[in-house]
Amino acid sequence: MSPVTLSRYLIEQTRSNNTPADLRFLIEVVARACKAIAHQVQKGALGGVLGSMGTENVQGEVQKKLDVLSNDILLEANEWGGHLAGMASEEMDNAYQIPGKYPKGAYLLVFDPLDGSSNIDVNVSVGTIFSVLRCPDQYLSQNDALNEQAFLQPGTSQVAAGYAIYGPQTMLVLTLGSGVIGFTLDRELGSFVLTHENIQVPQSTAEFAINMSNQRHWEAPVKRYVDELLTGEEGPLAKNYNMRWIASMVADVHRILTRGGIFMYPRDSREPSKPGKLRLMYEANPMSFLIEQAGGASTDGHQRILDIKPEGLHQRVAVFLGSKEEVERVTGYHQ
Ligand code: P6P
């Protein structure tokens, strides 16, 4: 049988649950933009795209050339299609208004154009994370500027989410709300080909992911939990655990979707005013949607991340996601 490409998947699989044509079109446009980003990322030094821009984003983080280039690729790919009411990104302070010369549509696209920036210049996997929301009717207008309030919906409102990972393979991992599927980029075809149907996170695991250098800054429940992981089979968990920390959320989450694990980025005392490092709208929410759709769990230590009502586009959140058994355990320690 000929390979099932993303286009064929979107038509065949979504015919049954009649996914709107505009949403299928949006996913294909985002996938095409991710192919263009992959092309730039994989040039590396040969493309003159490594290093920093010398500017900072709204988070006060130094912007890498590839951050800005990836952001521009996603904006240019999506602004003309007539399927979006607006866009928002880690790299832009405010929402992106669809230029007046183009029609607007019913969806909102939120993304981290290139996550894992600290790894870009050292050739470690990075990725693009995206989340799709419906624009509430009261904010839909062909003429008026889009009000940023339109984006501030809980993660349960997402209609689709996914990521592209630029690693040894370029893959697209996606959910439309009926499970998680994975596509691998076939460079000869130039298409994403279905390679992973029905991705499931194992309920239990022996692998955890956290940046241990922050240990002295964690809250007590996290210190207790990680201490128990480290005491292994002599400890209360009666199991030896392994550790991984790639410092690219896309790569760590991809490993967890593939073989299980728990990913943690807790809040810590370095910046007590901030509830965590990772951003809710375009990192935690899309990844939480994928993890839950794959049978895992995702909380901020106290509540389901997808239930959090956002108050700002760039709001941060603590993240505990992955194999349900471990997420429920560490969340229980916070109660
Ligand atoms: P740290 C990358 O900059 C990122 O936003 C996530 O992709 C990653 O999980 C995290 O930050 C790494 O943070 O503090 O370990 O460098």
Side-chain angles (χ1 to χ4, degrees), residues 183-246:
F183 301 82
T184 303
L185 181 61
D186 178 327
R187 296 191 178 288
E188 288 157 24
L189 266 181
S191 302
F192 280 107
V193 175
L194 181 65
T195 49
H196 297 69
E197 295 188 65
N198 190 25
I199 294 174
Q200 289 289 311
V201 178
Q203 293 296 302
S204 64
T205 183
E207 196 160 66
F208 70 97
I210 194 166
N211 183 336
M212 290 294 290
S213 69
N214 301 326
Q215 188 168 28
R216 63 190 181 283
H217 304 300
W218 297 333
E219 296 178 326
V222 181
K223 287 182 177 174
R224 171 189 172 189
Y225 177 60
V226 174
D227 285 348
E228 290 179 358
L229 294 171
L230 295 174
T231 50
E233 55 191 18
E234 289 83 42
L237 304 185
K239 183 163 59 169
N240 291 327
Y241 287 77
N242 188 21
M243 197 203 99
R244 288 284 183 276
W245 185 250
I246 304 176

Coordinates of all heavy atoms in Angstrom, one line a residue, residues 183-246:
F183 N 4.1 11.4 12.3 CA 4.5 11.4 10.9 C 6.0 11.7 10.8 O 6.5 12.5 11.5 CB 3.7 12.4 10.1 CG 2.2 12.3 10.2 CD1 1.5 12.8 11.3 CD2 1.5 11.7 9.2 CE1 0.1 12.7 11.3 CE2 0.2 11.5 9.2 CZ -0.5 12.0 10.3
T184 N 6.7 10.9 9.9 CA 8.1 11.1 9.7 C 8.3 11.8 8.4 O 7.7 11.4 7.4 CB 8.9 9.8 9.8 OG1 8.6 9.2 11.1 CG2 10.4 10.0 9.7
L185 N 9.2 12.8 8.3 CA 9.4 13.5 7.0 C 10.2 12.6 6.1 O 11.3 12.2 6.4 CB 10.1 14.8 7.3 CG 10.4 15.7 6.0 CD1 9.1 16.1 5.3 CD2 11.2 16.9 6.4
D186 N 9.6 12.3 4.9 CA 10.3 11.6 3.9 C 10.9 12.7 3.0 O 10.1 13.3 2.2 CB 9.3 10.7 3.1 CG 10.0 9.9 2.0 OD1 10.9 10.5 1.4 OD2 9.6 8.8 1.7
R187 N 12.2 12.9 3.0 CA 12.8 14.0 2.3 C 12.7 13.8 0.8 O 12.6 14.7 0.0 CB 14.2 14.2 2.7 CG 14.3 14.6 4.2 CD 15.7 15.1 4.6 NE 15.7 15.5 6.0 CZ 15.1 16.6 6.4 NH1 14.5 17.4 5.5 NH2 15.0 16.9 7.7
E188 N 12.7 12.5 0.4 CA 12.6 12.3 -1.1 C 11.2 12.6 -1.6 O 11.0 13.3 -2.6 CB 12.9 10.8 -1.4 CG 14.4 10.5 -1.2 CD 14.7 9.0 -1.0 OE1 13.9 8.2 -1.4 OE2 15.7 8.7 -0.4
L189 N 10.2 12.2 -0.8 CA 8.8 12.6 -1.2 C 8.5 14.0 -0.9 O 7.7 14.7 -1.6 CB 7.8 11.7 -0.4 CG 7.3 10.4 -0.9 CD1 6.3 9.8 0.1 CD2 6.6 10.6 -2.2
G190 N 9.2 14.6 0.2 CA 8.9 15.9 0.6 C 7.6 15.9 1.4 O 7.0 17.0 1.6
S191 N 7.2 14.7 1.9 CA 5.9 14.6 2.6 C 6.1 14.0 4.0 O 7.0 13.2 4.2 CB 4.9 13.7 1.9 OG 4.7 14.2 0.6
F192 N 5.3 14.4 4.9 CA 5.2 13.7 6.2 C 4.4 12.5 6.0 O 3.3 12.5 5.6 CB 4.5 14.6 7.3 CG 5.4 15.7 7.9 CD1 5.3 17.0 7.5 CD2 6.4 15.4 8.8 CE1 6.1 18.0 8.1 CE2 7.2 16.3 9.3 CZ 7.1 17.7 9.0
V193 N 5.0 11.3 6.4 CA 4.4 10.0 6.2 C 4.0 9.4 7.5 O 4.8 9.4 8.5 CB 5.4 9.1 5.4 CG1 4.8 7.7 5.3 CG2 5.6 9.6 4.0
L194 N 2.8 8.9 7.6 CA 2.3 8.3 8.9 C 3.2 7.1 9.3 O 3.3 6.2 8.5 CB 0.8 7.8 8.7 CG 0.2 7.2 10.0 CD1 0.0 8.2 11.1 CD2 -1.2 6.7 9.6
T195 N 3.8 7.2 10.5 CA 4.7 6.1 11.0 C 4.3 5.7 12.4 O 4.8 4.6 12.8 CB 6.2 6.6 11.0 OG1 6.2 7.9 11.7 CG2 6.7 6.8 9.6
H196 N 3.6 6.5 13.1 CA 3.2 6.1 14.5 C 1.7 6.3 14.7 O 1.3 7.4 14.9 CB 4.0 7.0 15.5 CG 5.5 6.8 15.4 ND1 6.2 7.2 14.4 CD2 6.3 6.2 16.3 CE1 7.5 6.9 14.6 NE2 7.6 6.3 15.8
E197 N 0.9 5.2 14.6 CA -0.5 5.4 14.8 C -0.8 5.1 16.3 O -0.2 4.3 16.9 CB -1.3 4.3 14.0 CG -1.1 4.5 12.5 CD -2.0 3.6 11.7 OE1 -3.2 3.7 11.8 OE2 -1.4 2.7 11.0
N198 N -1.7 6.0 16.8 CA -2.2 5.7 18.2 C -1.1 5.7 19.3 O -0.8 4.6 19.9 CB -3.0 4.4 18.3 CG -3.7 4.3 19.6 OD1 -4.0 5.3 20.3 ND2 -4.0 3.1 20.0
I199 N -0.3 6.7 19.4 CA 0.8 6.8 20.4 C 0.2 6.8 21.8 O -0.7 7.5 22.0 CB 1.6 8.1 20.1 CG1 2.4 8.0 18.8 CG2 2.6 8.3 21.3 CD1 3.1 9.3 18.4
Q200 N 0.8 5.9 22.6 CA 0.3 5.8 24.0 C 1.4 6.0 25.0 O 2.5 5.4 24.8 CB -0.3 4.4 24.2 CG -1.7 4.2 23.5 CD -2.8 5.0 24.1 OE1 -3.0 4.9 25.3 NE2 -3.5 5.7 23.3
V201 N 1.2 6.8 26.1 CA 2.2 6.9 27.1 C 2.1 5.7 28.1 O 1.0 5.6 28.7 CB 2.1 8.2 27.9 CG1 3.1 8.3 29.0 CG2 2.2 9.4 27.0
P202 N 3.1 4.9 28.4 CA 3.0 3.8 29.4 C 2.5 4.4 30.7 O 3.0 5.5 31.1 CB 4.4 3.3 29.5 CG 5.0 3.6 28.2 CD 4.4 4.9 27.7
Q203 N 1.6 3.7 31.4 CA 1.1 4.2 32.7 C 2.1 4.4 33.8 O 2.1 5.2 34.6 CB 0.0 3.3 33.2 CG -1.2 3.2 32.3 CD -2.0 4.6 32.2 OE1 -2.4 5.1 33.2 NE2 -2.0 5.1 31.0
S204 N 3.1 3.5 33.7 CA 4.2 3.6 34.7 C 5.6 3.7 34.0 O 5.7 3.5 32.8 CB 4.2 2.3 35.6 OG 4.5 1.2 34.9
T205 N 6.6 4.1 34.8 CA 7.9 4.4 34.2 C 9.0 4.3 35.2 O 8.7 4.2 36.4 CB 7.9 5.8 33.6 OG1 9.1 6.1 33.0 CG2 7.7 6.9 34.7
A206 N 10.2 4.2 34.7 CA 11.4 4.2 35.6 C 12.3 5.3 35.1 O 13.6 5.1 35.3 CB 12.1 2.8 35.7
E207 N 11.8 6.3 34.6 CA 12.7 7.4 34.0 C 12.1 8.8 34.3 O 10.9 9.0 34.1 CB 12.8 7.2 32.5 CG 14.0 7.9 31.8 CD 14.3 7.3 30.5 OE1 13.5 7.4 29.6 OE2 15.5 6.8 30.4
F208 N 12.9 9.7 34.8 CA 12.4 11.0 35.1 C 13.3 12.1 34.5 O 14.5 11.8 34.2 CB 12.3 11.2 36.7 CG 13.6 11.3 37.4 CD1 14.2 12.6 37.7 CD2 14.3 10.2 37.8 CE1 15.4 12.7 38.3 CE2 15.5 10.3 38.5 CZ 16.1 11.5 38.7
A209 N 12.7 13.2 34.2 CA 13.4 14.3 33.5 C 13.2 15.6 34.4 O 12.0 16.0 34.5 CB 12.9 14.5 32.1
I210 N 14.3 16.1 34.9 CA 14.2 17.4 35.6 C 15.6 18.0 35.6 O 16.6 17.3 35.4 CB 13.7 17.2 37.1 CG1 13.3 18.5 37.7 CG2 14.8 16.5 37.9 CD1 12.5 18.3 39.0
N211 N 15.7 19.3 35.7 CA 17.0 20.0 35.7 C 17.5 20.0 37.2 O 17.1 20.8 38.0 CB 16.9 21.4 35.2 CG 18.3 22.1 35.2 OD1 19.2 21.7 36.0 ND2 18.5 23.1 34.4
M212 N 18.3 19.0 37.6 CA 18.7 18.8 39.0 C 19.5 19.9 39.5 O 19.6 20.1 40.8 CB 19.5 17.5 39.1 CG 18.8 16.2 38.8 SD 17.6 15.9 40.1 CE 18.6 15.5 41.5
S213 N 20.0 20.8 38.7 CA 20.8 21.9 39.2 C 20.0 22.9 40.0 O 20.5 23.7 40.8 CB 21.5 22.7 38.1 OG 20.6 23.4 37.3
N214 N 18.6 22.8 39.9 CA 17.8 23.7 40.6 C 17.3 23.1 41.9 O 16.4 23.7 42.6 CB 16.5 24.0 39.7 CG 16.9 24.7 38.4 OD1 17.9 25.4 38.4 ND2 16.2 24.4 37.3
Q215 N 17.8 22.0 42.3 CA 17.3 21.2 43.4 C 17.1 22.0 44.7 O 16.0 22.0 45.4 CB 18.2 20.0 43.8 CG 17.6 19.0 44.8 CD 18.4 17.7 44.8 OE1 19.6 17.8 44.5 NE2 17.8 16.6 45.1
R216 N 18.0 22.9 45.0 CA 18.0 23.7 46.3 C 16.8 24.7 46.2 O 16.4 25.3 47.3 CB 19.3 24.4 46.6 CG 19.7 25.4 45.5 CD 21.2 25.9 45.7 NE 21.6 26.9 44.8 CZ 22.0 26.6 43.5 NH1 21.9 25.4 43.1 NH2 22.4 27.6 42.7
H217 N 16.3 25.0 45.0 CA 15.3 26.0 44.9 C 13.9 25.4 44.9 O 12.9 26.2 44.8 CB 15.5 26.8 43.6 CG 16.8 27.4 43.4 ND1 17.3 28.3 44.3 CD2 17.8 27.2 42.5 CE1 18.5 28.7 43.9 NE2 18.9 28.0 42.8
W218 N 13.7 24.1 44.9 CA 12.4 23.5 44.8 C 11.6 23.6 46.0 O 12.2 23.7 47.1 CB 12.5 22.0 44.4 CG 13.2 21.7 43.1 CD1 13.2 22.5 42.0 CD2 13.9 20.5 42.7 NE1 13.9 21.9 41.0 CE2 14.3 20.7 41.4 CE3 14.1 19.3 43.4 CZ2 15.0 19.7 40.7 CZ3 14.9 18.3 42.7 CH2 15.3 18.5 41.4
E219 N 10.3 23.5 45.9 CA 9.4 23.4 47.0 C 9.5 22.0 47.6 O 9.9 21.0 47.0 CB 7.9 23.7 46.6 CG 7.8 25.1 46.1 CD 6.3 25.4 45.6 OE1 5.7 24.4 45.1 OE2 5.9 26.5 45.8
A220 N 9.0 21.8 48.9 CA 9.2 20.6 49.6 C 8.6 19.3 48.9 O 9.3 18.3 48.8 CB 8.5 20.7 51.0
P221 N 7.4 19.4 48.3 CA 6.9 18.2 47.7 C 7.8 17.6 46.6 O 7.9 16.4 46.4 CB 5.5 18.6 47.2 CG 5.1 19.8 48.0 CD 6.4 20.5 48.3
V222 N 8.4 18.6 45.8 CA 9.3 18.2 44.7 C 10.6 17.6 45.3 O 11.1 16.5 44.8 CB 9.5 19.3 43.8 CG1 10.4 18.9 42.6 CG2 8.2 19.9 43.2
K223 N 11.1 18.2 46.3 CA 12.3 17.7 47.0 C 12.1 16.3 47.5 O 12.9 15.3 47.2 CB 12.8 18.6 48.1 CG 13.4 19.9 47.6 CD 13.9 20.7 48.8 CE 14.5 22.0 48.3 NZ 14.9 22.9 49.5
R224 N 10.9 16.1 48.1 CA 10.6 14.7 48.7 C 10.5 13.7 47.5 O 11.1 12.6 47.6 CB 9.2 14.8 49.4 CG 8.7 13.4 49.8 CD 7.3 13.5 50.3 NE 6.7 12.2 50.5 CZ 5.5 11.9 50.8 NH1 4.6 12.9 51.0 NH2 5.0 10.6 50.9
Y225 N 9.8 14.1 46.5 CA 9.6 13.1 45.4 C 10.9 12.8 44.7 O 11.2 11.6 44.5 CB 8.6 13.7 44.3 CG 8.4 12.9 43.1 CD1 7.8 11.6 43.2 CD2 8.7 13.3 41.9 CE1 7.6 10.8 42.1 CE2 8.5 12.5 40.7 CZ 8.0 11.3 40.9 OH 7.8 10.4 39.8
V226 N 11.7 13.8 44.4 CA 13.0 13.5 43.7 C 13.9 12.7 44.6 O 14.6 11.8 44.2 CB 13.6 14.7 43.1 CG1 15.0 14.5 42.5 CG2 12.7 15.4 42.1
D227 N 13.9 13.0 45.9 CA 14.7 12.2 46.8 C 14.3 10.7 46.8 O 15.1 9.8 46.8 CB 14.5 12.7 48.3 CG 15.3 14.0 48.5 OD1 16.1 14.4 47.6 OD2 15.1 14.7 49.5
E228 N 13.0 10.5 46.7 CA 12.5 9.1 46.7 C 12.9 8.4 45.4 O 13.3 7.3 45.4 CB 11.0 9.1 46.8 CG 10.5 9.5 48.2 CD 8.9 9.5 48.3 OE1 8.3 9.2 47.3 OE2 8.5 9.7 49.4
L229 N 12.9 9.2 44.3 CA 13.3 8.6 43.0 C 14.8 8.2 43.1 O 15.2 7.1 42.6 CB 13.2 9.6 41.9 CG 11.8 10.1 41.5 CD1 11.8 11.3 40.5 CD2 11.0 8.9 40.9
L230 N 15.6 9.0 43.8 CA 17.1 8.8 43.9 C 17.4 7.7 44.8 O 18.5 7.1 44.7 CB 17.8 10.1 44.2 CG 17.7 11.2 43.2 CD1 18.3 12.5 43.8 CD2 18.3 10.8 41.9
T231 N 16.5 7.4 45.8 CA 16.8 6.3 46.8 C 16.5 4.9 46.1 O 16.9 3.9 46.7 CB 16.0 6.5 48.1 OG1 14.6 6.6 47.7 CG2 16.5 7.6 48.9
G232 N 15.8 4.9 45.0 CA 15.7 3.7 44.2 C 15.0 2.6 44.9 O 14.1 2.8 45.8
E233 N 15.5 1.3 44.7 CA 14.7 0.2 45.2 C 14.8 0.0 46.8 O 14.0 -0.6 47.4 CB 15.1 -1.1 44.6 CG 16.6 -1.4 44.6 CD 17.0 -2.6 43.7 OE1 16.2 -2.9 42.8 OE2 18.1 -3.2 43.9
E234 N 15.8 0.7 47.4 CA 15.8 0.7 48.8 C 14.8 1.7 49.4 O 14.5 1.6 50.6 CB 17.2 1.1 49.4 CG 18.3 0.0 49.2 CD 18.9 0.1 47.8 OE1 19.2 1.2 47.3 OE2 19.1 -1.0 47.1
G235 N 14.3 2.6 48.6 CA 13.5 3.6 49.1 C 12.0 3.3 49.0 O 11.6 2.1 48.6
P236 N 11.1 4.2 49.3 CA 9.7 3.9 49.4 C 9.1 3.6 48.0 O 8.0 2.9 47.9 CB 9.1 5.3 49.9 CG 10.1 6.3 49.6 CD 11.4 5.6 49.7
L237 N 9.7 3.9 46.9 CA 9.2 3.6 45.6 C 9.6 2.2 45.1 O 9.1 1.7 44.1 CB 9.6 4.7 44.6 CG 9.2 6.1 44.9 CD1 9.5 7.1 43.8 CD2 7.7 6.2 45.3
A238 N 10.6 1.6 45.8 CA 11.0 0.3 45.6 C 11.4 0.0 44.1 O 11.0 -1.1 43.6 CB 9.9 -0.7 46.1
K239 N 12.0 1.0 43.5 CA 12.3 0.8 42.1 C 13.5 1.7 41.8 O 13.6 2.8 42.3 CB 11.1 1.3 41.2 CG 11.2 1.1 39.8 CD 9.9 1.1 39.0 CE 9.1 2.3 39.1 NZ 7.9 2.3 38.1
N240 N 14.4 1.3 41.0 CA 15.5 2.1 40.5 C 15.1 2.9 39.3 O 14.5 2.4 38.4 CB 16.8 1.3 40.2 CG 17.4 0.6 41.4 OD1 17.3 1.2 42.5 ND2 17.9 -0.6 41.2
Y241 N 15.4 4.2 39.3 CA 15.0 5.1 38.2 C 16.2 5.6 37.5 O 17.3 5.8 38.0 CB 14.2 6.3 38.8 CG 12.8 6.0 39.3 CD1 12.6 5.4 40.5 CD2 11.7 6.3 38.5 CE1 11.4 5.1 41.0 CE2 10.4 6.1 38.9 CZ 10.3 5.4 40.2 OH 9.0 5.1 40.6
N242 N 16.0 5.9 36.2 CA 17.0 6.5 35.3 C 16.7 8.0 35.1 O 15.5 8.4 35.4 CB 17.1 5.8 34.0 CG 18.2 6.2 33.1 OD1 19.2 6.7 33.6 ND2 18.1 6.0 31.8
M243 N 17.6 8.8 34.7 CA 17.3 10.2 34.5 C 17.7 10.7 33.1 O 18.8 10.2 32.6 CB 18.0 11.1 35.5 CG 17.4 12.5 35.6 SD 18.6 13.7 36.3 CE 19.2 14.4 34.8
R244 N 16.9 11.5 32.5 CA 17.3 12.2 31.2 C 16.9 13.7 31.4 O 15.9 13.9 31.9 CB 16.5 11.6 30.1 CG 17.0 10.1 29.7 CD 18.2 10.2 28.9 NE 18.7 8.9 28.4 CZ 19.4 8.1 29.2 NH1 19.7 8.4 30.4 NH2 19.8 6.9 28.7
W245 N 17.7 14.6 30.8 CA 17.3 16.0 30.7 C 18.0 16.6 29.5 O 19.2 16.8 29.5 CB 17.7 16.8 32.0 CG 17.2 18.2 31.9 CD1 17.9 19.3 31.8 CD2 15.8 18.6 32.0 NE1 17.1 20.5 31.7 CE2 15.8 20.0 31.9 CE3 14.6 18.0 32.2 CZ2 14.6 20.8 31.9 CZ3 13.4 18.7 32.2 CH2 13.4 20.1 32.1
I246 N 17.2 16.7 28.4 CA 17.8 17.2 27.2 C 17.7 18.7 27.1 O 18.5 19.4 26.4 CB 17.0 16.6 26.0 CG1 17.0 15.1 26.0 CG2 17.6 17.0 24.6 CD1 16.2 14.4 24.9

